[in-house]
Structures are given as structure tokens and as C-alpha cells.
Amino acid sequence: MTVTVRNQCCPNKKCVYAGQFLRGNVISHSRKSPRFLCKACGKTWVAHREEPRYHLHTDFQKVIEVLKFLSGGASVRGTARNMGVSTSTVQRWKTRFADYSLT
Ligand SMILES: [Zn+2]
């Protein structure tokens, strides 16, 4: 399935366009990654119709573990040590999946 603005809706529950498609509020935020921006509330998110894992070389489960550490309040350095990856890798994942929901 192709990720386009057509199959994205704003994930911000407080937004007037929450859960609504094709309202013209969603624009593509970046050509390099499947990020979208809601013009109505300013929320940005990673495409949520397709898992944002397709150009990752690492097992996505590892990314999830890293995100769990970070969301639990662990430092980038500490997470990197625990997971056996470099701090720059953790930092990159943290940025890339900033809006990715673990639930
Ligand atoms: Zn919105």
C-alpha cells in the first residue's frame, strides 16, 4: 500500500480533523521519510498506514525496545549501552520515530 496524504488522517484527538480523511489538512512533511503534517493543528506524524520500518536494516523489534527504554526515561547513552548499539543509532531512531506510537 502506498503511503500518501489520501490515506492519512490527523492523529491529534483534539484536532477538528481528527479521524477524517481527505479534508485537505494533511500535507507531506518530507520527501525522504513518510512524515505528514496537519495544517489545522500543526501535528506531525510518521505514516500510520504502513509500518515505518521498510528502510531499516535492523530488526524492528530492536527499535521498539530502544523506544521503550527512551519512553521510560532512560538516557540515550544508557539505552545504547543496554541495547548494544551506538549512541548515534539511538539518537537517529529517537528522532525518526518521535511520533511513533508504541501501543
Ligand atoms: Zn490536526
Side-chain angles (χ1 to χ4, degrees):
M1 181 172 185
T2 310
V3 174
T4 74
V5 294
R6 291 179 171 277
N7 54 38
Q8 300 298 310
C9 62
C10 184
N12 180 1
K13 290 186 177 65
K14 293 185 183 133
C15 179
V16 290
Y17 292 122
Q20 298 183 35
F21 293 88
L22 298 173
R23 287 310 188 105
N25 64 312
V26 177
I27 59 172
S28 186
H29 189 47
S30 162
R31 290 201 171 276
K32 276 186 242 149
S33 63
R35 280 187 90 79
F36 294 88
L37 166 70
C38 174
K39 286 192 288 187
C41 67
K43 172 81 178 168
T44 64
W45 67 95
V46 173
H48 49 83
R49 286 280 151 165
E50 190 172 47
E51 296 295 317
R53 71 176 91 172
Y54 58 92
H55 50 35
L56 280 175
H57 299 297
T58 317
D59 183 2
F60 194 68
Q61 199 54 45
K62 198 164 190 175
V63 177
I64 296 291
E65 290 298 314
V66 163
L67 296 178
K68 278 180 182 168
F69 271 117
L70 293 172
S71 70
S75 66
V76 168
R77 191 179 291 275
T79 302
R81 195 168 54 237
N82 278 328
M83 294 302 296
V85 296
S86 69
T87 53
S88 60
T89 298
V90 172
Q91 192 61 54
R92 194 170 65 245
W93 289 349
K94 187 182 179 185
T95 305
R96 181 181 290 181
F97 299 105
D99 298 328
Y100 185 73
S101 174
L102 291 172
T103 53

